[in-house]
Amino acid sequence: MEAPDITAALELEEGKPEKETRAEIRRRKLLTIASDLFATKGYDATSIRDVAAAARMNSASLYYHFASKEEMFVAVENASVDKIHDRVSAALAARVTDPWERLEAAAVAHAEALLDRTGFRVLVTLLYPPGLSEGVRHRLAARRDQFERMMAEVIDTLPLADDVDRFVFRKHYLGGMNAVGVWYSPGGKLAPADIGRRIVRVLKG
Amino acid sequence: MEAPDITAALELEEGKPEKETRAEIRRRKLLTIASDLFATKGYDATSIRDVAAAARMNSASLYYHFASKEEMFVAVENASVDKIHDRVSAALAARVTDPWERLEAAAVAHAEALLDRTGFRVLVTLLYPPGLSEGVRHRLAARRDQFERMMAEVIDTLPLADDVDRFVFRKHYLGGMNAVGVWYSPGGKLAPADIGRRIVRVLKG
DNA sequence: CCTACCGATCGGTAGG
DNA sequence: CCTACCGATCGGTAGG
C-alpha cells in the first residue's frame, strides 16, 4: 500500500506510478544519486562526471535522461520540496485537532523527511545556482511557497500571545528546521522524530 | 573610539590596527569584495577572476595577497565568525542581568552583524568547500564552537521548564538566526534589530 | 601588481 | 547508452 520513498517523492515528476518504464526507473535512480551528491558536496562542486561515475555510466549518457545539469538540479529541488510537503501533509491529514499537536505532527514528519538517508535525499538549498533563469526560479519558489502556506495555516491557529509575530515565528521555525541536517548525527541520541518533538517543545515555551 | 566595521571584524586576522600597511588595506578590501561575492553567488560559483574584476585588478595579482582561493575562503569565514562573535560579545558585556534580556541583546547584535550590508559581509556557510583539509576544517569549526559556547552560557541560564531540551533550543536558535539572511528584506518593515527581538519573543513563549 | 601563459576540468555535443 | 571529442573556463605560475 505504501509506495517506496522515492516514488512518493517523485510522483508528480514522474507521472503515473503504476507502469514505470526502464527509462523512468533509470531517471529516478540518477535523481537519487544526484540528490546525495548535491547534498554532500554541493551543486557546483558536483560534476556530471561525478553523478555518472556513481551510476556507473558514461557522462554523455546522462544527457539521454536530462537536457542539462540545470534540469537535474531543478528535478532534485522539486522532488525535495515535494517529499517534505507530502510527508507533512499526510501527517496533518491524520486529523489531530489540538493546534500544538498539529505543529508537533508536522515537525516530526518534516524532520523525518529531511533526515531520511535511505533513497532520495532532501536537498536544502539556500542559494540557487547562479545562472538559473528567472522563470525557473519563480517556479521553484512557488513550490516552496505552497509548503510554507500549509505551515502558515498550522501556525496561525496556535494560541500565542498577541505580541508574538507569527510571520517571524514561521520564518524562524522553518529556518531552524532547515538547519537540522547540519547538526543531526545519525545513530546518535536524538532520532529525527525526537528532534521534531523537542523543537516544538522549545517553541511551546 | 569605535573602530569601523571591517577593522573590528578582522582585528585578529590583521594584527595591530594602529598602523595598517598599504598591503593590509588592500587585503582587507579584497576580503570585503570576496565576502560579498561569496555571500551572493556562493564560493564555488565565484571565480578568482570575479573577485579580481570587482577589485579592478588582474587575477594573477590576487596571489600576492592570498596563497590560494582556499586561503581567501578561510579568511572570509573566520572574519565572519569573528564579526558575529565580537558584536554579540560586546552586547553581552553591557552587563544586563535578566537572562531573557541577555538573550535579546545577543539576538539583536547577532541579527545586526549578520544583515549589515555596509563593508564586510558575513558569510553563512552550511557546507565547507570540498577539498578543504581536515586540519583547516577543524580550525574553522573551533572558531564557530567558541561562539556557540558563549551562546550556550546565555541559554543555560534561561528559566525554562525542566523538559525543554537546552541543546535543541540552542541548535534551533542558531539555525534560525543563520537563516535570517534568506528572508530579510533590506528597507522592509522589519529592521535587523526588530528581527532579533521578535525571534526572542517567539522563544519566550 | 601585470603580461602571458599552462594543464586540468568543466558542461555539453556529434554520431553511432 | 558509448566513443570521441570541443570550446570555455577554472585555479594557479613564471617572470618581470
Side-chain angles (χ1 to χ4, degrees):
Chain A
M1 200 157 186
E2 277 268 332
D5 245 358
I6 314 143
T7 309
L10 301 183
E11 220 145 272
L12 282 172
E13 256 285 315
E14 298 297 333
K16 305 145 196 169
E18 308 113 26
K19 278 190 195 177
E20 206 180 22
T21 66
R22 249 97 59 204
E24 282 165 349
I25 293 172
R26 210 82 177 114
R27 184 182 156 99
R28 203 155 52 72
K29 190 194 163 189
L30 287 169
L31 235 33
T32 301
I33 288 169
S35 73
D36 201 54
L37 288 168
F38 291 173
T40 307
K41 316 206 308 170
Y43 172 75
D44 283 310
T46 302
S47 70
I48 56 150
R49 284 164 176 85
D50 292 335
V51 178
R56 272 183 265 271
M57 266 187 201
N58 187 287
S59 69
S61 307
L62 288 184
Y63 289 89
Y64 174 75
H65 300 280
F66 298 93
S68 63
K69 192 191 177 190
E70 180 180 311
E71 195 197 298
M72 274 190 60
F73 172 80
V74 171
V76 169
E77 174 72 14
N78 275 328
S80 295
V81 176
D82 288 349
K83 180 169 175 171
I84 291 174
H85 179 99
D86 293 351
R87 301 268 197 109
V88 172
S89 175
L92 289 172
R95 282 268 116 224
V96 194
T97 49
D98 176 72
W100 282 108
E101 279 179 33
R102 282 176 68 77
L103 183 62
E104 187 183 275
V108 167
H110 192 158
E112 281 176 340
L114 211 44
L115 301 175
D116 175 24
R117 246 98 151 167
T118 69
F120 181 85
R121 188 153 157 195
V122 167
L123 182 66
V124 175
T125 305
L126 52 107
L127 214 59
Y128 290 142
L132 271 197
S133 74
E134 271 310 299
V136 172
R137 271 168 207 276
H138 275 111
R139 282 188 48 239
L140 291 175
R143 205 110 145 208
R144 283 198 200 192
D145 286 350
Q146 199 186 340
F147 171 65
E148 189 165 339
R149 273 197 301 279
M150 186 168 76
M151 290 313 302
E153 275 177 40
V154 175
I155 289 166
D156 288 349
T157 62
L158 251 24
L160 300 173
D162 281 352
D163 63 333
V164 172
D165 187 326
R166 289 170 197 267
F167 170 77
V168 170
F169 186 113
R170 185 173 85 234
K171 291 299 186 184
H172 185 73
Y173 167 77
L174 257 13
M177 289 302 306
N178 271 341
V180 148
V182 177
W183 57 269
Y184 167 69
S185 62
K189 273 179 158 180
L190 296 176
D194 296 322
I195 292 175
R197 271 188 293 268
R198 287 175 194 217
I199 285 175
V200 173
R201 183 67 192 83
V202 164
L203 293 168
K204 213 167 159 181
Chain B
M1 200 156 186
E2 277 267 333
D5 245 357
I6 314 144
T7 309
L10 300 184
E11 220 146 273
L12 283 172
E13 256 285 317
E14 296 298 332
K16 306 145 194 170
E18 309 113 27
K19 279 190 194 175
E20 209 181 18
T21 66
R22 249 97 61 205
E24 282 166 350
I25 293 172
R26 209 82 178 116
R27 183 182 158 99
R28 202 155 52 72
K29 191 193 162 190
L30 286 168
L31 235 31
T32 301
I33 289 169
S35 73
D36 201 54
L37 288 168
F38 291 173
T40 308
K41 316 204 306 170
Y43 172 74
D44 283 310
T46 303
S47 70
I48 56 151
R49 283 166 179 82
D50 291 335
V51 178
R56 271 183 265 270
M57 265 186 203
N58 187 286
S59 69
S61 308
L62 288 184
Y63 288 90
Y64 174 74
H65 300 281
F66 298 93
S68 64
K69 191 189 178 193
E70 180 182 309
E71 195 198 297
M72 275 189 61
F73 172 79
V74 171
V76 169
E77 174 72 14
N78 276 327
S80 296
V81 176
D82 288 350
K83 180 168 175 172
I84 291 175
H85 179 98
D86 293 352
R87 301 267 197 112
V88 172
S89 176
L92 288 173
R95 282 267 117 225
V96 194
T97 50
D98 177 73
W100 282 108
E101 280 179 32
R102 283 176 67 78
L103 184 62
E104 187 181 274
V108 167
H110 193 158
E112 283 176 338
L114 211 46
L115 302 175
D116 175 23
R117 246 98 150 167
T118 70
F120 182 85
R121 187 153 157 195
V122 167
L123 182 67
V124 175
T125 304
L126 54 105
L127 214 58
Y128 289 141
L132 270 198
S133 73
E134 271 309 299
V136 172
R137 270 167 208 274
H138 275 111
R139 281 187 50 237
L140 292 175
R143 205 110 146 206
R144 282 199 200 192
D145 286 348
Q146 198 186 341
F147 171 66
E148 187 165 341
R149 272 196 302 278
M150 186 167 78
M151 290 313 302
E153 275 176 40
V154 175
I155 290 166
D156 288 348
T157 62
L158 250 24
L160 300 173
D162 281 353
D163 63 333
V164 172
D165 187 327
R166 289 171 197 266
F167 171 76
V168 170
F169 187 112
R170 186 173 83 236
K171 291 300 186 184
H172 185 72
Y173 167 77
L174 258 13
M177 289 302 304
N178 272 341
V180 148
V182 176
W183 58 269
Y184 166 69
S185 62
K189 274 180 159 181
L190 295 177
D194 296 323
I195 291 175
R197 271 188 292 268
R198 286 175 195 218
I199 285 175
V200 173
R201 183 65 193 84
V202 163
L203 292 168
K204 213 166 159 180

